[in-house]
């Protein structure tokens, strides 16, 4: 059937951007940001242990990168693996921080 004018869909006219988004090939920029977050957190924890202000700033930056990778994925597109990599990055950062804090005695290990 040849392409014709946009069809009515649920009481509204279909727009050209209503076509489902095709996932981009792996890795996208958002994927790379997600994958870079846990190593960045570990590096900050390793190198800045004795400097709490700088450590807090570095870990805040790592956490802000979580918001940034979501915005990048929405604007530039995401790979099929993007949502999974975002979760892996989140849990990697959390486990790195909590594990180091527990090992250093800053929090109870039962957490």
């Amino acid at each position: 059937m040849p392409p014709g004018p946009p069809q009515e869909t649920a009481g509204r006219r279909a727009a050209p951007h209503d076509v489902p988004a095709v996932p981009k090939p792996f890795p996208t920029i958002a994927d790379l940001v997600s994958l870079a977050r846990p190593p960045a957190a570990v590096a900050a924890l390793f190198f800045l242990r004795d400097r709490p202000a700088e450590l807090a700033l570095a870990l805040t930056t790592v956490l802000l990168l979580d918001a940034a990778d979501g915005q990048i994925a929405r604007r530039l597109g995401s790979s099929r693996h993007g949502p999974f990599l975002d979760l892996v990055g989140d849990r990697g950062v959390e486990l790195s921080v909590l594990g180091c804090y527990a090992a250093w005695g800053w929090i109870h290990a039962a957490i």
Side-chain angles (χ1 to χ4, degrees):
M1 173 182 256
Q7 301 294 320
E8 289 288 326
T9 306
R12 68 177 181 85
R13 192 172 167 91
H17 63 277
D18 285 345
V19 177
V22 176
K24 295 194 174 210
F26 177 79
T28 63
I29 295 172
D31 295 340
L32 296 175
V33 171
S34 292
L35 290 172
R37 290 178 52 243
V42 169
L45 290 161
F46 181 76
F47 290 111
L48 301 174
R49 176 182 178 182
D50 298 326
R51 296 183 277 181
E54 290 92 344
L55 178 60
L57 181 63
L59 292 177
T60 299
T61 303
V62 168
L63 293 174
L64 289 174
L65 284 174
D66 183 33
D69 74 354
Q71 288 296 322
I72 292 168
R74 283 187 278 284
R75 289 180 188 250
L76 302 179
S78 178
S79 73
R80 185 171 68 106
H81 307 292
F84 173 74
L85 293 174
D86 185 50
L87 288 173
V88 168
D90 291 346
R91 297 303 83 79
V93 169
E94 292 165 4
L95 291 173
S96 299
V97 171
L98 292 175
C100 284
Y101 283 7
W104 297 338
W106 291 5
I107 59 173
H108 193 278
I111 290 179

